[in-house]
Amino acid sequence: MRAVTLNIWGRGSAWRRRLPLVRAEIARLAPDVVGLQEVWRRGSRCQAEQIADALGYHVTYAPAVTRLDRSVQGNALLSREPVTRHDVLPLPTPAGVEPRSVLRAETGATTVLVTHLTWEWEHAHIRQRQVRFLAELAARSERDVVVLADLNAAPDTEEVRWLTSRLADVWACAGGGPGHTFTPANGFARKDREPARRIDFVLSDGLRATHAELAFTTPVRAGLRQVWPSDHFGVVCDLAPAARPA
């Protein structure tokens, strides 16, 4: 099974120029499932559907927050096999903080969770509640589980350490190097003047990672500027059934 996660940066800079880059990279990688975060929907059509056009994927959308202009931000799953069941669950988020959600979908023999945690640096205590909610969802599944997530926290934070003590961190198992997904090496991320961090994760339960690498890392020249697929780099990995206890 090949899985991909990518925060597509929603309505961020130059979406019309970024869209074909995202689409081409997915076509190159040929994943079975793709988790997308910061996916906007206006009316009946969302950005995930634009990405999936001509690629042959089933699209499942999960709203998280509705803006004053009635546009919606959320998460989405692209899957080669149809989704047989799904629901959208609110993550624990206090009043006054932007709502977040998790998409829980069953496709093939796998439960896939797609989510995007609260982003503010000072809200680690909220993310701690959110990762516990994710772990509980994974533990309740009778299927193999894949989590495709922008955790908005690095591997050495308390919330991510807690989560990866319960679910396997694919990059730690099969990746190479620091695996930074939000980094000044990306021109769109550079303007935020934040340190390079690995905040986008594939986690698994019941599956083992055989390979992991960064994706969506190559810009193209558009006039005098470079255009990246997103302000995040993505992660692609290959997963195989884990050995079961005798």
Side-chain angles (χ1 to χ4, degrees):
M1 178 185 192
R2 174 163 284 192
V4 165
T5 190
L6 176 68
N7 180 320
I8 67 168
W9 198 24
R11 299 184 294 189
S13 179
W15 169 243
R16 290 185 180 180
R17 291 178 175 174
R18 295 191 294 110
L19 172 59
L21 304 184
V22 173
R23 201 182 275 155
E25 182 74 331
I26 291 174
R28 182 185 73 85
L29 297 171
D32 299 292
V33 292
V34 182
L36 303 172
Q37 301 85 32
E38 283 195 41
V39 181
W40 286 89
R41 183 181 70 192
R42 184 182 291 274
S44 62
R45 188 164 171 81
C46 72
Q47 289 175 302
E49 291 168 308
Q50 292 178 292
I51 293 168
D53 282 349
L55 293 179
Y57 286 95
H58 301 274
V59 179
T60 308
Y61 185 71
V65 59
T66 301
R67 304 297 186 186
L68 293 176
D69 64 359
R70 298 186 181 180
S71 61
V72 179
Q73 178 182 296
N75 307 296
L77 174 68
L78 309 185
S79 58
R80 287 208 178 277
E81 296 189 50
V83 168
T84 54
R85 184 168 64 177
H86 80 279
D87 51 7
V88 182
L89 303 166
L91 286 176
T93 310
V97 176
E98 182 178 79
R100 298 287 162 135
S101 72
V102 54
L103 168 61
R104 177 173 58 182
E106 294 181 358
T107 177
T110 307
T111 295
V112 182
L113 304 176
V114 186
T115 195
H116 183 197
L117 303 192
T118 295
W119 69 270
E120 292 90 337
W121 290 79
E122 66 273 18
H123 285 169
H125 62 290
I126 299 173
R127 288 190 294 276
Q128 288 169 13
R129 293 172 55 198
Q130 293 171 343
V131 297
R132 281 163 171 77
F133 185 81
L134 279 178
E136 289 171 6
L137 290 180
R140 290 204 297 265
S141 176
E142 297 180 354
R143 297 163 170 246
D144 295 334
V145 176
V146 176
V147 180
L148 306 170
D150 176 352
L151 298 181
N152 270 315
D156 60 352
T157 59
E158 182 177 346
E159 57 267 38
V160 175
R161 289 201 311 270
W162 186 93
L163 185 59
T164 55
S165 71
R166 288 152 176 84
L167 297 170
D169 176 1
V170 161
W171 189 269
C173 296
H180 294 149
T181 59
F182 196 78
T183 167
N186 182 318
F188 287 149
R190 191 177 305 139
K191 62 182 178 59
D192 290 328
R193 299 183 179 180
E194 294 185 13
R197 295 180 293 154
R198 180 163 71 91
I199 62 175
D200 300 272
F201 289 77
V202 180
L203 308 169
S204 66
D205 183 31
L207 297 166
R208 61 181 178 86
T210 60
H211 176 76
E213 65 182 61
L214 295 178
F216 306 91
T217 59
T218 305
V220 297
R221 178 69 63 179
L224 297 178
R225 64 183 301 196
Q226 287 187 309
V227 175
W228 279 260
S230 174
D231 62 339
H232 288 235
F233 294 152
V235 179
V236 56
C237 67
D238 294 317
L239 301 164
R244 302 293 184 181

mmCIF file of all heavy atoms in Angstrom, residues 9-44:
data_model
loop_
_atom_site.group_PDB
_atom_site.id
_atom_site.type_symbol
_atom_site.label_atom_id
_atom_site.label_comp_id
_atom_site.label_asym_id
_atom_site.label_seq_id
_atom_site.Cartn_x
_atom_site.Cartn_y
_atom_site.Cartn_z
ATOM 1 N N TRP A 9 -2.076 23.890 1.373
ATOM 2 C CA TRP A 9 -2.027 25.342 1.560
ATOM 3 C C TRP A 9 -3.273 26.027 1.027
ATOM 4 O O TRP A 9 -3.269 27.197 0.682
ATOM 5 C CB TRP A 9 -0.766 25.923 0.921
ATOM 6 C CG TRP A 9 -0.364 27.276 1.373
ATOM 7 C CD1 TRP A 9 -0.646 27.919 2.546
ATOM 8 C CD2 TRP A 9 0.438 28.204 0.617
ATOM 9 N NE1 TRP A 9 -0.074 29.159 2.595
ATOM 10 C CE2 TRP A 9 0.602 29.362 1.413
ATOM 11 C CE3 TRP A 9 1.039 28.160 -0.626
ATOM 12 C CZ2 TRP A 9 1.339 30.469 0.989
ATOM 13 C CZ3 TRP A 9 1.768 29.245 -1.043
ATOM 14 C CH2 TRP A 9 1.919 30.392 -0.236
ATOM 15 N N GLY A 10 -4.354 25.311 0.962
ATOM 16 C CA GLY A 10 -5.652 25.890 0.645
ATOM 17 C C GLY A 10 -5.628 26.924 -0.464
ATOM 18 O O GLY A 10 -5.184 26.676 -1.579
ATOM 19 N N ARG A 11 -6.089 28.118 -0.104
ATOM 20 C CA ARG A 11 -6.180 29.202 -1.085
ATOM 21 C C ARG A 11 -4.919 30.049 -1.110
ATOM 22 O O ARG A 11 -4.933 31.192 -1.565
ATOM 23 C CB ARG A 11 -7.396 30.066 -0.763
ATOM 24 C CG ARG A 11 -8.704 29.312 -0.831
ATOM 25 C CD ARG A 11 -9.919 30.179 -0.609
ATOM 26 N NE ARG A 11 -9.998 30.724 0.743
ATOM 27 C CZ ARG A 11 -11.059 31.365 1.237
ATOM 28 N NH1 ARG A 11 -12.130 31.535 0.482
ATOM 29 N NH2 ARG A 11 -11.061 31.828 2.467
ATOM 30 N N GLY A 12 -3.807 29.483 -0.615
ATOM 31 C CA GLY A 12 -2.546 30.212 -0.618
ATOM 32 C C GLY A 12 -2.101 30.586 -2.020
ATOM 33 O O GLY A 12 -2.738 30.256 -3.026
ATOM 34 N N SER A 13 -0.970 31.227 -2.085
ATOM 35 C CA SER A 13 -0.486 31.860 -3.313
ATOM 36 C C SER A 13 -0.553 30.939 -4.538
ATOM 37 O O SER A 13 -0.169 29.776 -4.481
ATOM 38 C CB SER A 13 0.961 32.313 -3.089
ATOM 39 O OG SER A 13 1.485 32.907 -4.248
ATOM 40 N N ALA A 14 -1.045 31.488 -5.636
ATOM 41 C CA ALA A 14 -0.925 30.888 -6.974
ATOM 42 C C ALA A 14 -1.522 29.491 -7.070
ATOM 43 O O ALA A 14 -0.916 28.598 -7.666
ATOM 44 C CB ALA A 14 0.554 30.871 -7.390
ATOM 45 N N TRP A 15 -2.733 29.278 -6.540
ATOM 46 C CA TRP A 15 -3.321 27.946 -6.582
ATOM 47 C C TRP A 15 -3.442 27.429 -8.017
ATOM 48 O O TRP A 15 -3.181 26.253 -8.285
ATOM 49 C CB TRP A 15 -4.693 27.932 -5.912
ATOM 50 C CG TRP A 15 -5.475 26.670 -6.139
ATOM 51 C CD1 TRP A 15 -6.661 26.523 -6.790
ATOM 52 C CD2 TRP A 15 -5.103 25.345 -5.728
ATOM 53 N NE1 TRP A 15 -7.057 25.212 -6.818
ATOM 54 C CE2 TRP A 15 -6.114 24.459 -6.171
ATOM 55 C CE3 TRP A 15 -4.007 24.823 -5.044
ATOM 56 C CZ2 TRP A 15 -6.065 23.092 -5.934
ATOM 57 C CZ3 TRP A 15 -3.959 23.453 -4.807
ATOM 58 C CH2 TRP A 15 -4.983 22.609 -5.254
ATOM 59 N N ARG A 16 -3.816 28.278 -8.959
ATOM 60 C CA ARG A 16 -3.981 27.796 -10.331
ATOM 61 C C ARG A 16 -2.671 27.294 -10.921
ATOM 62 O O ARG A 16 -2.667 26.377 -11.751
ATOM 63 C CB ARG A 16 -4.557 28.903 -11.213
ATOM 64 C CG ARG A 16 -6.020 29.233 -10.899
ATOM 65 C CD ARG A 16 -6.575 30.254 -11.870
ATOM 66 N NE ARG A 16 -7.967 30.570 -11.579
ATOM 67 C CZ ARG A 16 -8.703 31.427 -12.258
ATOM 68 N NH1 ARG A 16 -8.162 32.065 -13.315
ATOM 69 N NH2 ARG A 16 -9.947 31.671 -11.926
ATOM 70 N N ARG A 17 -1.560 27.869 -10.481
ATOM 71 C CA ARG A 17 -0.259 27.396 -10.950
ATOM 72 C C ARG A 17 0.215 26.197 -10.139
ATOM 73 O O ARG A 17 0.971 25.355 -10.647
ATOM 74 C CB ARG A 17 0.774 28.530 -10.878
ATOM 75 C CG ARG A 17 0.519 29.636 -11.891
ATOM 76 C CD ARG A 17 1.529 30.749 -11.767
ATOM 77 N NE ARG A 17 1.344 31.750 -12.816
ATOM 78 C CZ ARG A 17 2.011 32.886 -12.884
ATOM 79 N NH1 ARG A 17 2.928 33.180 -11.962
ATOM 80 N NH2 ARG A 17 1.786 33.739 -13.877
ATOM 81 N N ARG A 18 -0.210 26.111 -8.890
ATOM 82 C CA ARG A 18 0.214 24.997 -8.041
ATOM 83 C C ARG A 18 -0.564 23.720 -8.337
ATOM 84 O O ARG A 18 -0.041 22.611 -8.189
ATOM 85 C CB ARG A 18 0.050 25.375 -6.562
ATOM 86 C CG ARG A 18 0.943 26.502 -6.135
ATOM 87 C CD ARG A 18 0.971 26.707 -4.630
ATOM 88 N NE ARG A 18 -0.286 27.150 -4.057
ATOM 89 C CZ ARG A 18 -1.065 26.411 -3.278
ATOM 90 N NH1 ARG A 18 -0.724 25.148 -2.982
ATOM 91 N NH2 ARG A 18 -2.197 26.915 -2.779
ATOM 92 N N LEU A 19 -1.834 23.867 -8.722
ATOM 93 C CA LEU A 19 -2.690 22.710 -8.953
ATOM 94 C C LEU A 19 -2.072 21.687 -9.902
ATOM 95 O O LEU A 19 -2.027 20.489 -9.574
ATOM 96 C CB LEU A 19 -4.058 23.178 -9.450
ATOM 97 C CG LEU A 19 -5.024 22.095 -9.937
ATOM 98 C CD1 LEU A 19 -5.321 21.084 -8.846
ATOM 99 C CD2 LEU A 19 -6.319 22.733 -10.463
ATOM 100 N N PRO A 20 -1.590 22.064 -11.082
ATOM 101 C CA PRO A 20 -1.016 21.041 -11.961
ATOM 102 C C PRO A 20 0.236 20.385 -11.382
ATOM 103 O O PRO A 20 0.525 19.223 -11.707
ATOM 104 C CB PRO A 20 -0.702 21.805 -13.255
ATOM 105 C CG PRO A 20 -0.718 23.249 -12.893
ATOM 106 C CD PRO A 20 -1.657 23.388 -11.748
ATOM 107 N N LEU A 21 0.964 21.096 -10.514
ATOM 108 C CA LEU A 21 2.139 20.494 -9.884
ATOM 109 C C LEU A 21 1.720 19.413 -8.892
ATOM 110 O O LEU A 21 2.329 18.338 -8.827
ATOM 111 C CB LEU A 21 2.967 21.563 -9.171
ATOM 112 C CG LEU A 21 3.442 22.753 -9.999
ATOM 113 C CD1 LEU A 21 4.328 23.669 -9.159
ATOM 114 C CD2 LEU A 21 4.182 22.281 -11.240
ATOM 115 N N VAL A 22 0.687 19.714 -8.096
ATOM 116 C CA VAL A 22 0.180 18.717 -7.153
ATOM 117 C C VAL A 22 -0.343 17.508 -7.915
ATOM 118 O O VAL A 22 -0.044 16.346 -7.589
ATOM 119 C CB VAL A 22 -0.934 19.327 -6.269
ATOM 120 C CG1 VAL A 22 -1.575 18.251 -5.403
ATOM 121 C CG2 VAL A 22 -0.371 20.449 -5.402
ATOM 122 N N ARG A 23 -1.111 17.767 -8.954
ATOM 123 C CA ARG A 23 -1.706 16.684 -9.738
ATOM 124 C C ARG A 23 -0.623 15.818 -10.391
ATOM 125 O O ARG A 23 -0.704 14.584 -10.363
ATOM 126 C CB ARG A 23 -2.610 17.304 -10.804
ATOM 127 C CG ARG A 23 -3.672 16.396 -11.364
ATOM 128 C CD ARG A 23 -4.445 17.124 -12.442
ATOM 129 N NE ARG A 23 -5.526 17.935 -11.924
ATOM 130 C CZ ARG A 23 -6.029 18.999 -12.537
ATOM 131 N NH1 ARG A 23 -5.510 19.403 -13.684
ATOM 132 N NH2 ARG A 23 -7.036 19.658 -12.012
ATOM 133 N N ALA A 24 0.401 16.450 -10.942
ATOM 134 C CA ALA A 24 1.462 15.698 -11.622
ATOM 135 C C ALA A 24 2.254 14.849 -10.641
ATOM 136 O O ALA A 24 2.660 13.721 -10.964
ATOM 137 C CB ALA A 24 2.390 16.666 -12.362
ATOM 138 N N GLU A 25 2.488 15.355 -9.437
ATOM 139 C CA GLU A 25 3.251 14.576 -8.468
ATOM 140 C C GLU A 25 2.450 13.369 -7.990
ATOM 141 O O GLU A 25 2.996 12.281 -7.801
ATOM 142 C CB GLU A 25 3.659 15.463 -7.283
ATOM 143 C CG GLU A 25 4.510 14.773 -6.229
ATOM 144 C CD GLU A 25 5.952 14.534 -6.636
ATOM 145 O OE1 GLU A 25 6.240 14.373 -7.848
ATOM 146 O OE2 GLU A 25 6.818 14.469 -5.738
ATOM 147 N N ILE A 26 1.159 13.542 -7.785
ATOM 148 C CA ILE A 26 0.328 12.394 -7.409
ATOM 149 C C ILE A 26 0.333 11.352 -8.523
ATOM 150 O O ILE A 26 0.449 10.146 -8.272
ATOM 151 C CB ILE A 26 -1.098 12.845 -7.067
ATOM 152 C CG1 ILE A 26 -1.088 13.654 -5.770
ATOM 153 C CG2 ILE A 26 -2.034 11.639 -6.927
ATOM 154 C CD1 ILE A 26 -2.428 14.272 -5.407
ATOM 155 N N ALA A 27 0.238 11.802 -9.759
ATOM 156 C CA ALA A 27 0.286 10.859 -10.891
ATOM 157 C C ALA A 27 1.619 10.117 -10.914
ATOM 158 O O ALA A 27 1.667 8.907 -11.182
ATOM 159 C CB ALA A 27 0.063 11.611 -12.199
ATOM 160 N N ARG A 28 2.713 10.817 -10.634
ATOM 161 C CA ARG A 28 4.032 10.175 -10.632
ATOM 162 C C ARG A 28 4.153 9.149 -9.516
ATOM 163 O O ARG A 28 4.685 8.054 -9.716
ATOM 164 C CB ARG A 28 5.121 11.245 -10.474
ATOM 165 C CG ARG A 28 6.552 10.686 -10.497
ATOM 166 C CD ARG A 28 7.580 11.765 -10.222
ATOM 167 N NE ARG A 28 7.598 12.178 -8.830
ATOM 168 C CZ ARG A 28 8.289 11.548 -7.869
ATOM 169 N NH1 ARG A 28 8.988 10.452 -8.157
ATOM 170 N NH2 ARG A 28 8.279 12.002 -6.623
ATOM 171 N N LEU A 29 3.651 9.497 -8.330
ATOM 172 C CA LEU A 29 3.795 8.627 -7.169
ATOM 173 C C LEU A 29 2.845 7.431 -7.218
ATOM 174 O O LEU A 29 3.137 6.386 -6.644
ATOM 175 C CB LEU A 29 3.551 9.424 -5.888
ATOM 176 C CG LEU A 29 4.540 10.558 -5.610
ATOM 177 C CD1 LEU A 29 4.050 11.408 -4.441
ATOM 178 C CD2 LEU A 29 5.935 10.008 -5.338
ATOM 179 N N ALA A 30 1.686 7.603 -7.849
ATOM 180 C CA ALA A 30 0.672 6.546 -7.981
ATOM 181 C C ALA A 30 0.311 5.927 -6.632
ATOM 182 O O ALA A 30 0.364 4.704 -6.470
ATOM 183 C CB ALA A 30 1.144 5.475 -8.953
ATOM 184 N N PRO A 31 -0.091 6.732 -5.651
ATOM 185 C CA PRO A 31 -0.439 6.179 -4.342
ATOM 186 C C PRO A 31 -1.822 5.530 -4.353
ATOM 187 O O PRO A 31 -2.652 5.783 -5.229
ATOM 188 C CB PRO A 31 -0.429 7.409 -3.434
ATOM 189 C CG PRO A 31 -0.804 8.536 -4.354
ATOM 190 C CD PRO A 31 -0.219 8.197 -5.693
ATOM 191 N N ASP A 32 -2.055 4.727 -3.319
ATOM 192 C CA ASP A 32 -3.377 4.139 -3.118
ATOM 193 C C ASP A 32 -4.289 5.076 -2.341
ATOM 194 O O ASP A 32 -5.501 5.103 -2.573
ATOM 195 C CB ASP A 32 -3.250 2.810 -2.376
ATOM 196 C CG ASP A 32 -2.426 1.801 -3.154
ATOM 197 O OD1 ASP A 32 -2.902 1.346 -4.208
ATOM 198 O OD2 ASP A 32 -1.286 1.490 -2.722
ATOM 199 N N VAL A 33 -3.708 5.826 -1.400
ATOM 200 C CA VAL A 33 -4.479 6.805 -0.623
ATOM 201 C C VAL A 33 -3.660 8.084 -0.500
ATOM 202 O O VAL A 33 -2.438 8.047 -0.377
ATOM 203 C CB VAL A 33 -4.861 6.277 0.778
ATOM 204 C CG1 VAL A 33 -5.858 5.143 0.674
ATOM 205 C CG2 VAL A 33 -3.635 5.854 1.574
ATOM 206 N N VAL A 34 -4.362 9.200 -0.534
ATOM 207 C CA VAL A 34 -3.727 10.515 -0.371
ATOM 208 C C VAL A 34 -4.547 11.294 0.646
ATOM 209 O O VAL A 34 -5.742 11.529 0.442
ATOM 210 C CB VAL A 34 -3.692 11.307 -1.698
ATOM 211 C CG1 VAL A 34 -2.976 12.645 -1.491
ATOM 212 C CG2 VAL A 34 -3.036 10.499 -2.806
ATOM 213 N N GLY A 35 -3.899 11.706 1.741
ATOM 214 C CA GLY A 35 -4.549 12.569 2.712
ATOM 215 C C GLY A 35 -4.169 14.010 2.443
ATOM 216 O O GLY A 35 -2.975 14.333 2.312
ATOM 217 N N LEU A 36 -5.163 14.891 2.348
ATOM 218 C CA LEU A 36 -4.942 16.300 2.046
ATOM 219 C C LEU A 36 -5.496 17.145 3.180
ATOM 220 O O LEU A 36 -6.598 16.903 3.672
ATOM 221 C CB LEU A 36 -5.622 16.696 0.740
ATOM 222 C CG LEU A 36 -5.226 15.904 -0.512
ATOM 223 C CD1 LEU A 36 -6.114 16.285 -1.681
ATOM 224 C CD2 LEU A 36 -3.755 16.135 -0.853
ATOM 225 N N GLN A 37 -4.716 18.142 3.586
ATOM 226 C CA GLN A 37 -5.164 19.092 4.608
ATOM 227 C C GLN A 37 -5.235 20.498 4.007
ATOM 228 O O GLN A 37 -4.642 20.768 2.971
ATOM 229 C CB GLN A 37 -4.220 19.097 5.818
ATOM 230 C CG GLN A 37 -4.064 17.753 6.520
ATOM 231 C CD GLN A 37 -3.006 16.881 5.877
ATOM 232 O OE1 GLN A 37 -2.017 17.373 5.342
ATOM 233 N NE2 GLN A 37 -3.203 15.566 5.926
ATOM 234 N N GLU A 38 -5.970 21.372 4.693
ATOM 235 C CA GLU A 38 -6.234 22.738 4.213
ATOM 236 C C GLU A 38 -6.884 22.710 2.828
ATOM 237 O O GLU A 38 -6.438 23.379 1.892
ATOM 238 C CB GLU A 38 -4.961 23.596 4.208
ATOM 239 C CG GLU A 38 -4.545 24.089 5.575
ATOM 240 C CD GLU A 38 -3.529 25.211 5.522
ATOM 241 O OE1 GLU A 38 -3.652 26.112 4.670
ATOM 242 O OE2 GLU A 38 -2.599 25.177 6.342
ATOM 243 N N VAL A 39 -7.934 21.947 2.722
ATOM 244 C CA VAL A 39 -8.665 21.799 1.462
ATOM 245 C C VAL A 39 -9.915 22.673 1.534
ATOM 246 O O VAL A 39 -10.758 22.502 2.420
ATOM 247 C CB VAL A 39 -9.061 20.329 1.227
ATOM 248 C CG1 VAL A 39 -9.799 20.193 -0.102
ATOM 249 C CG2 VAL A 39 -7.830 19.428 1.269
ATOM 250 N N TRP A 40 -10.025 23.591 0.597
ATOM 251 C CA TRP A 40 -11.152 24.530 0.593
ATOM 252 C C TRP A 40 -12.261 24.046 -0.323
ATOM 253 O O TRP A 40 -12.018 23.440 -1.372
ATOM 254 C CB TRP A 40 -10.683 25.912 0.149
ATOM 255 C CG TRP A 40 -9.906 26.605 1.208
ATOM 256 C CD1 TRP A 40 -8.560 26.525 1.418
ATOM 257 C CD2 TRP A 40 -10.419 27.445 2.237
ATOM 258 N NE1 TRP A 40 -8.201 27.276 2.512
ATOM 259 C CE2 TRP A 40 -9.325 27.859 3.026
ATOM 260 C CE3 TRP A 40 -11.697 27.900 2.552
ATOM 261 C CZ2 TRP A 40 -9.465 28.693 4.126
ATOM 262 C CZ3 TRP A 40 -11.855 28.743 3.644
ATOM 263 C CH2 TRP A 40 -10.745 29.138 4.418
ATOM 264 N N ARG A 41 -13.476 24.334 0.102
ATOM 265 C CA ARG A 41 -14.653 24.051 -0.724
ATOM 266 C C ARG A 41 -15.510 25.302 -0.784
ATOM 267 O O ARG A 41 -15.751 25.958 0.230
ATOM 268 C CB ARG A 41 -15.474 22.901 -0.119
ATOM 269 C CG ARG A 41 -16.683 22.510 -0.971
ATOM 270 C CD ARG A 41 -17.462 21.383 -0.323
ATOM 271 N NE ARG A 41 -18.138 21.838 0.881
ATOM 272 C CZ ARG A 41 -18.698 21.026 1.779
ATOM 273 N NH1 ARG A 41 -18.624 19.719 1.607
ATOM 274 N NH2 ARG A 41 -19.308 21.514 2.837
ATOM 275 N N ARG A 42 -15.934 25.611 -1.982
ATOM 276 C CA ARG A 42 -16.901 26.694 -2.183
ATOM 277 C C ARG A 42 -18.037 26.120 -3.017
ATOM 278 O O ARG A 42 -17.818 25.592 -4.094
ATOM 279 C CB ARG A 42 -16.262 27.892 -2.877
ATOM 280 C CG ARG A 42 -17.217 29.081 -3.023
ATOM 281 C CD ARG A 42 -16.553 30.233 -3.758
ATOM 282 N NE ARG A 42 -15.508 30.838 -2.970
ATOM 283 C CZ ARG A 42 -15.700 31.795 -2.070
ATOM 284 N NH1 ARG A 42 -16.929 32.239 -1.844
ATOM 285 N NH2 ARG A 42 -14.703 32.315 -1.412
ATOM 286 N N GLY A 43 -19.265 26.211 -2.502
ATOM 287 C CA GLY A 43 -20.382 25.581 -3.178
ATOM 288 C C GLY A 43 -20.277 24.074 -3.069
ATOM 289 O O GLY A 43 -19.993 23.525 -2.012
ATOM 290 N N SER A 44 -20.472 23.384 -4.171
ATOM 291 C CA SER A 44 -20.492 21.923 -4.150
ATOM 292 C C SER A 44 -19.163 21.294 -4.541
ATOM 293 O O SER A 44 -19.043 20.066 -4.575
ATOM 294 C CB SER A 44 -21.587 21.410 -5.101
ATOM 295 O OG SER A 44 -21.304 21.814 -6.435
#
